[in-house]
């Protein structure tokens, strides 16, 4: 960690480094838990761009927001701002086939409710969430600092922060708690000397939005193909978000194809069940990997979201795990503040880490295992896994358990995931 003398500057209770979905939702949760008098800031160079309509965020991905995460957004006042753009997932089908197979039989299907009337997930464009939360944070008196955090020094009482560029009130600040929400390549994690365990998948996910003639009826379809999963995730209107996994070299070649040839490749996987299809935006590839921080905490520091863990999008759980971090950390901090304790103290951080580490490792291992299992090309393995899927398909109680688990509302969930205020 960079050594520098303790600086003056703005004194914050908590600073989030990173204004992605994790950093912004943590700031909003802390505003609710700590009240109006708490001094909170989110630092991100992306705040230099103005908020606009249509959304300013350039992220073309959409996320499957599980029921627990939706309850959190509801409790924080975010959901009412994005609901019009949220498509409930009413059913899900999983197939297992080779690319050239004439048919893709369904081996596993889920009906989409965790509780009567409550779908297990909604698809929401990331840009819509991002812009709604940025706007809400502004109205809730959270300082949005248009800068990167370049360095910090943790001390026994506070952490000194150094910004990459000087702001109106200087280039330094201090905080009782620093949350590293700065994504998978977290600089703060590296500065704190926290290592990671992980490996690249040599796979990339091609993401695009597709328009189609017929209604999808809220059904999500995931075709497990030898190169990786091909997911068709329903958006509002006659549109789907596609997450199409390929070996990274193949993904690059596909994206370099003329649009008409890419469309042919797409149709081979998408099928013609929804009529003619059109690619609506500029497809983009995201390299995939697995990564888990060796510790989720340091001195006055908590790692949150992708800074703590990055997983394969095979089960659409990445940001859902990040939002579970948010719910757990905000609750630990709020409970400490109500007892008059130090919100960045070791007891708070340890409680957060205990709450999140096992769940994260379990989900990370499950997604890694699924990706490997479905990546095995032998017919014998395929037969065994299809028998396994068939067994789950015939056991409604087990399916119910999986749905509740994926929705993030099984076990002892933090209050926000149960839809309760902090
Ligand atoms: C193809 C794909 C599909 C996915 N689909 C789903 C899905 O359906 N459901 C789901 O739950 N998850 C999904 N995920 C995962 C999800 O997108 C990520 O988990 C999520 O975006 C991570 O959010 P974050 O806020 O932790 O990090 P990021 O979104 O990476 O945000 C980090 C922010 O930190 C800022 N920053 C970086 N360094 C600094 C610094 N030093 N100081 C200040 N700011 C800094 C950056 O500018 C950035 O804005 C998917 C991922 C991929 C690749």
């Amino acid at each position: 960690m960079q050594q520098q003398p303790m600086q003056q500057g703005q004194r914050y209770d908590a600073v989030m480094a990173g204004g992605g979905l994790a950093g912004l939702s943590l700031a909003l949760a802390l505003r609710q838990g700590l009240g109006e008098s708490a001094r909170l800031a989110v630092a991100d160079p992306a705040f230099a761009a103005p908020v606009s309509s249509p959304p300013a965020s350039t992220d073309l991905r959409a996320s499957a927001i599980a029921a627990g995460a939706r309850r959190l957004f509801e409790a924080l006042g975010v959901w009412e701002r994005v609901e019009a753009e949220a498509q409930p997932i009413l059913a899900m089908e999983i197939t297992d086939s080779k690319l050239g197979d004439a048919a893709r039989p369904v081996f596993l299907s889920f009906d989409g409710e965790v509780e009567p009337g409550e779908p297990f997930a909604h698809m929401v464009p990331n840009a819509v969430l991002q812009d709604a939360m940025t706007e809400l944070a502004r109205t809730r008196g959270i300082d949005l600092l248009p800068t990167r955090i370049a360095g910090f020094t943790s001390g026994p009482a506070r952490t000194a922060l150094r910004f990459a560029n000087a702001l109106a009130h200087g280039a330094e600040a201090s905080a009782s708690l620093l949350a590293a929400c700065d994504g998978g390549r977290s600089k703060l994690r590296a500065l704190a000397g926290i290592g990671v365990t992980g490996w690249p998948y040599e796979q990339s996910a091609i993401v695009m939005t597709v328009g189609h003639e017929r209604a999808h009826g809220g059904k999500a379809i995931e075709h497990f193909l030898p190169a990786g999963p091909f997911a068709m995730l329903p958006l509002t209107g006659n549109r789907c978000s596609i997450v199409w996994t390929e070996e990274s070299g193949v993904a690059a070649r596909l994206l370099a194809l003329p649009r008409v040839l890419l469309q042919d490749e797409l149709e081979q996987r998408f099928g013609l069940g929804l009529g003619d299809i059109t690619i609506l935006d500029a497809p983009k590839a995201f390299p995939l990997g697995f990564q888990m921080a060796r510790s989720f905490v340091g001195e006055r520091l908590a790692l949150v979201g992708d800074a703590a863990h990055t997983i394969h999008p095979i089960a659409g759980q990445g940001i859902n795990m990040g939002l579970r971090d948010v719910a757990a950390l905000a609750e630990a901090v709020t409970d400490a503040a109500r007892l008059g304790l130090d919100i960045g103290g070791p007891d708070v951080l340890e409680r957060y880490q205990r709450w999140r580490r096992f769940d994260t490792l379990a989900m990370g291992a499950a997604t890694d295992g699924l990706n490997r299992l479905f990546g095995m090309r032998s017919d014998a393995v395929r037969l065994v896994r299809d028998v396994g899927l068939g067994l789950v398909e015939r056991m409604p109680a087990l399916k119910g358990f999986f749905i509740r688990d994926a929705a993030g509302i099984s076990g002892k969930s933090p209050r926000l995931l149960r839809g309760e205020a902090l």
Side-chain angles (χ1 to χ4, degrees):
M1 190 186 319
Q2 203 148 349
Q3 289 305 313
Q4 58 178 40
M6 189 74 165
Q7 302 283 355
Q8 294 303 310
Q10 288 284 41
R11 288 173 66 82
Y12 287 107
D13 293 297
V15 171
M16 302 357 104
L21 301 182
L24 283 169
S25 47
L26 179 61
L28 292 168
L30 291 179
R31 168 60 76 226
Q32 182 179 90
L34 299 178
E36 292 307 310
S37 61
R39 304 214 56 175
L40 303 172
V42 184
D44 196 314
F47 291 142
V51 174
S52 64
S53 179
S57 167
T58 52
D59 191 338
L60 59 81
R61 290 173 297 172
S63 294
I65 298 297
R70 185 193 48 75
R71 291 180 188 182
L72 171 140
F73 282 143
E74 223 164 50
L76 297 180
V78 175
W79 193 248
E80 63 200 53
R81 292 171 173 248
V82 302
E83 198 169 7
E85 302 267 4
Q87 168 64 49
I89 299 183
L90 302 172
M92 173 141 195
E93 284 182 1
I94 291 172
T95 75
D96 184 10
S97 58
K98 293 183 191 155
L99 181 57
D101 287 356
R104 306 205 186 283
V106 175
F107 282 95
L108 192 55
S109 60
F110 293 101
D111 288 330
E113 292 190 341
V114 280
E115 303 284 348
E118 184 176 15
F120 73 80
H122 287 75
M123 286 303 297
V124 190
N126 285 10
V128 169
L129 273 171
Q130 180 79 32
D131 288 354
M133 284 202 281
T134 306
E135 193 47 40
L136 190 56
R138 273 186 224 283
T139 66
R140 299 262 158 102
I142 295 165
D143 287 354
L144 301 182
L145 311 175
T147 183
R148 203 164 47 76
I149 292 191
F152 66 95
T153 307
S154 306
R158 301 184 68 74
T159 288
L161 308 172
R162 191 161 47 80
F163 302 131
N165 44 301
L167 304 170
H169 46 67
E172 295 96 24
S174 71
S176 300
L177 175 68
L178 174 61
C181 312
D182 51 343
R185 281 181 281 176
S186 169
K187 163 119 191 233
L188 272 70
R189 184 184 65 216
L191 287 173
I194 299 174
V196 294
T197 308
W199 43 84
Y201 282 127
E202 317 295 350
Q203 288 173 316
S204 292
I206 301 172
V207 176
M208 66 179 89
T209 311
V210 165
H212 39 78
E213 269 182 318
R214 286 196 277 280
H216 48 54
K219 190 198 289 177
I221 299 175
E222 192 158 14
H223 294 310
F224 283 102
L225 298 168
F230 177 91
M232 301 151 63
L233 304 160
L235 298 174
T236 52
N238 284 1
R239 297 178 308 144
C240 279
S241 175
I242 301 295
V243 182
W244 170 2
T245 311
E246 289 286 349
E247 187 263 305
S248 292
V250 175
R253 284 199 290 282
L254 284 166
L255 287 188
L257 287 175
R259 191 53 81 89
V260 62
L261 296 181
L262 178 64
Q263 170 104 13
D264 280 351
E265 292 286 341
L266 177 68
E267 279 177 7
Q268 223 186 325
R269 293 155 177 87
F270 195 99
L272 293 171
L274 296 178
D276 282 346
I277 57 176
T278 319
I279 300 173
L280 298 177
D281 48 21
K284 193 174 163 200
F286 294 80
L288 304 179
F290 174 88
Q291 184 175 271
M292 207 57 67
R294 295 226 167 84
S295 171
F296 284 10
V297 298
E299 191 178 11
R300 298 203 165 274
L301 177 74
L303 307 188
V304 177
D306 275 21
H309 42 71
T310 310
I311 61 169
H312 199 290
I314 196 165
Q317 285 290 334
I319 195 54
N320 286 291
M321 293 214 305
L323 294 169
R324 290 181 216 175
D325 299 345
V326 166
L329 181 60
E331 186 164 325
V333 166
T334 302
D335 289 353
R338 287 188 183 142
L339 294 170
L341 302 175
D342 176 1
I343 62 166
D347 292 350
V348 173
L349 294 169
E350 264 318 306
R351 183 176 171 210
Y352 165 61
Q353 163 142 274
R354 271 200 312 275
W355 214 339
R356 291 302 303 138
R357 231 175 128 70
F358 177 74
D359 176 49
T360 308
L361 283 171
M363 181 60 81
T367 52
D368 186 64
L370 271 178
N371 187 46
R372 283 171 202 278
L373 179 65
F374 282 95
M376 291 182 191
R377 291 164 196 243
S378 109
D379 285 340
V381 174
R382 186 169 145 198
L383 182 69
V384 171
R385 73 183 174 227
D386 290 347
V387 168
L389 287 179
L391 284 176
V392 176
E393 176 70 4
R394 283 189 287 279
M395 294 167 79
L398 191 59
K399 281 211 287 190
F401 170 78
F402 283 147
I403 286 180
R404 292 182 65 79
D405 201 46
I409 54 174
S410 61
K412 186 174 173 346
S413 303
R415 293 197 284 273
L416 284 171
L417 296 183
R418 287 183 261 138
E420 296 167 19
L422 274 171

